Amino acid sequence: MTSDNSNHYPRPLIEQADLEAKIGELAAAVTRDYRDSERLVAIGVLKGSVFFLVDLLKRVDLAPLEVDFFQTSSYGAATEPGEVKILKDVDVSVRGADVLLIEDIVDTGYTLRTILDLLRFRKAKSVRLCTLLDKPSRRKVDVPIDYCGFQIEDLFVVGYGLDYNERFRNLPYIGVYEGEIR
Ligand code: 5GP
């Protein structure tokens, strides 16, 4: 028996139907904005963005686009806040491409700041950011968000790709994790 709440279903914050409706709106906006793009590369940040990326891109009505992934992690408490480690780089060259960066949630902004700087350094033609969730009250560095699903308060959320210790990613909704965070 566990004494924490890790086996309880998280309290729903954003229901599946609301996610689907919002993703439809975002996909329509992306389709409209990239109609004239000569080369669009959609890049997700593993692992949290995967559910969102798949559902979004299936509804983007454009000529074939490329899909790739970064994986990042923070270095932990012993280092400078904001240092982000790239665990997996993209396989494709982004030089001259329109890049749509797809993220699950923007919190401090450090992860996306690092990736945006890298993509600019590699001479992407344009970079836009699409995030399902945004926690603006937690921001430490500015990141321009072009497409945003939902702004939320400073809560620890799980589900629809987001985890707590690798669990809960498979929930079809966004919920608030109310167990102890270790
Ligand atoms: P940032 O670099 O913006 O601080 O952090 C972004 C990453 O932190 C997200 O991609 C996600 O992995 C993680 N993160 C931030 N807030 C939450 C949250 O409420 N729940 C979960 N599961 N992960 C979060």
Side-chain angles (χ1 to χ4, degrees), residues 5 18 41 43 47 55 63 74 80 108 115 118 121 135 156:
N5 283 336
D18 296 326
V41 181
I43 301 180
K47 302 176 192 170
D55 286 349
S74 58
E80 283 291 300
T108 62
I115 292 177
L118 185 58
F121 177 76
K135 280 198 239 179
F156 191 81

Side-chain angles (χ1 to χ4, degrees), residues 22 25 65 68 70 74 84 92 109 117 139 158 162 169 176:
K22 182 62 77 175
E25 289 171 25
L65 50 82
D68 211 331
F70 278 108
S74 58
V84 173
V92 300
D117 289 348
R139 199 73 87 255
V158 293
L162 288 151
R169 292 193 199 275
V176 180

Side-chain angles (χ1 to χ4, degrees), residues 45-48 72 84 103-112 135 138-139 152 155-159 161-164 169:
V45 186
L46 294 171
K47 302 176 192 170
T72 61
V84 173
E103 179 61 303
D104 50 359
I105 186 164
V106 185
D107 187 37
T108 62
Y110 288 135
T111 303
L112 285 170
K135 280 198 239 179
R138 295 260 308 161
R139 199 73 87 255
I152 62 168
L155 301 164
F156 191 81
V157 289
V158 293
L162 288 151
D163 73 312
Y164 170 65
R169 292 193 199 275

